[in-house]
Amino acid sequence: MKISYNNASGSQVYDARLGERKVQKIYRGDEQIYPDASARIHQLRLDLSGWAGTSEGSCWEQAIEAVSVHSDATRYIRLTVGRTYLVANTYGTYPLASYLGGGLFEFAAGEGPLVQNLRLGDTAALQIRLPQLKSFSIGGDQEHNQPVSRLYPSCPSGTEVRGYFGKGQKRVSTGVRIVVESVPSGKVLMNRHQQQDGHCRGDYNWNYGWCGPVAGDTQVRLTVYPHQPRGGWGGYFVYPAAARTLTARIIQIIKED
């Protein structure tokens, strides 16, 4: 169904609401005019292959991991392919585009873009907005005192590295050593040990420095080594806020049955 209103002429109607309730069907007499019988896209694949080992790839991996938790006005990926969708999670009245990996997006029945509006080779926009985010933490406690390691997406520029530990006993020097290694190159981005000495107890969470991406690498390995732990210990990243728009070509279109 198309409508003309004010400056919009012949615009496709993708969504209709009665207050906050989504309208399922609209009839003109006995004829259903919304949603109409126009063919829609069920799945659409974008070419993201050129992003591997680039700042675009680093931003995308960080964003898709972040929005898999939830989306809101400060954390989202907006996919624009004729119509605008929120990726992985949605809020408000935005329709959802599920991300299946490998550049493949899927739309709910009746929600996808119209086939007539897109073709192979067209450019899709992915608008990313993220607040400052803390990564998943790794570590242990006094009884679990062996080094721990985990792979993360490549760090965007300005990523802060932090280590934490509890010092629950006086006259014992306690701390952690943190090593950050870029993968697959193996380049060491950080190798630093910090500890708290003296006749004191407390919990400490310290900055160890900052790191960024290595061209051609797609991941980083964070390894944390405890030193005479007397409480919980570990490490994590703090990613900077991000706001950028990425573009990619449409390389596959799958219609609804």
Side-chain angles (χ1 to χ4, degrees):
M1 182 178 77
K2 291 185 177 181
I3 63 169
S4 295
Y5 180 75
N6 289 338
N7 295 327
S9 177
S11 297
Q12 184 70 38
V13 176
Y14 287 100
D15 187 50
R17 302 267 167 169
L18 184 61
E20 293 297 318
R21 298 179 62 187
K22 184 176 177 63
V23 173
Q24 300 299 317
K25 296 179 181 179
I26 298 175
Y27 287 85
R28 181 177 59 195
D30 294 331
E31 179 188 5
Q32 179 182 317
I33 59 174
Y34 172 83
D36 60 22
S38 299
R40 293 184 181 271
I41 294 172
H42 174 54
Q43 292 181 336
L44 178 150
R45 190 184 302 274
L46 303 182
D47 183 8
L48 310 185
S49 60
W51 292 358
T54 68
S55 62
E56 288 85 357
S58 175
C59 182
W60 171 251
E61 292 296 333
Q62 180 196 356
I64 198 65
E65 184 174 289
V67 300
S68 67
V69 179
H70 78 275
S71 291
D72 57 32
T74 67
R75 178 196 300 211
Y76 59 77
I77 302 174
R78 289 179 183 168
L79 168 66
T80 300
V81 278
R83 186 185 184 189
T84 297
Y85 299 81
L86 285 186
V87 177
N89 276 292
T90 188
Y91 68 93
T93 60
Y94 284 101
L96 177 68
S98 300
Y99 184 61
L100 307 182
L104 185 64
F105 299 82
E106 184 172 272
F107 310 96
E111 293 281 352
L114 295 174
V115 173
Q116 66 190 30
N117 291 344
L118 296 175
R119 64 190 66 184
L120 296 180
D122 283 353
T123 299
L126 291 155
Q127 183 186 8
I128 293 171
R129 181 173 294 277
L130 299 174
Q132 184 184 77
L133 293 171
K134 174 184 172 183
S135 76
F136 181 81
S137 297
I138 58 173
D141 53 32
Q142 187 167 336
E143 288 71 35
H144 300 86
N145 57 9
Q146 295 302 305
V148 293
S149 185
R150 186 179 191 268
L151 284 171
Y152 296 79
S154 180
C155 294
S157 297
T159 296
E160 183 182 9
V161 184
R162 298 193 68 88
Y164 64 89
F165 55 90
K167 186 177 185 298
Q169 182 180 344
K170 293 182 179 180
R171 293 187 289 184
V172 175
S173 297
T174 301
V176 294
R177 172 186 165 213
I178 286 184
V179 177
V180 180
E181 178 187 6
S182 190
V183 176
S185 72
K187 181 178 180 179
V188 176
L189 306 180
M190 181 176 295
N191 185 346
R192 187 177 183 189
H193 173 88
Q194 294 192 99
Q195 67 184 46
Q196 178 63 49
D197 302 327
H199 299 281
C200 58
R201 295 187 178 96
D203 293 314
Y204 303 89
N205 189 321
W206 287 345
N207 168 275
Y208 274 63
W210 288 265
C211 63
V214 173
D217 283 356
T218 56
Q219 294 179 300
V220 291
R221 178 179 290 107
L222 173 65
T223 304
V224 184
Y225 299 81
H227 173 67
Q228 299 184 143
R230 293 299 186 270
W233 56 271
Y236 60 94
F237 298 111
V238 178
Y239 302 121
R244 64 183 301 182
T245 298
L246 308 179
T247 58
R249 291 185 308 106
I250 299 172
I251 57 173
Q252 185 181 24
I253 290 174
I254 300 174
K255 301 177 184 179
E256 286 187 354
D257 295 334

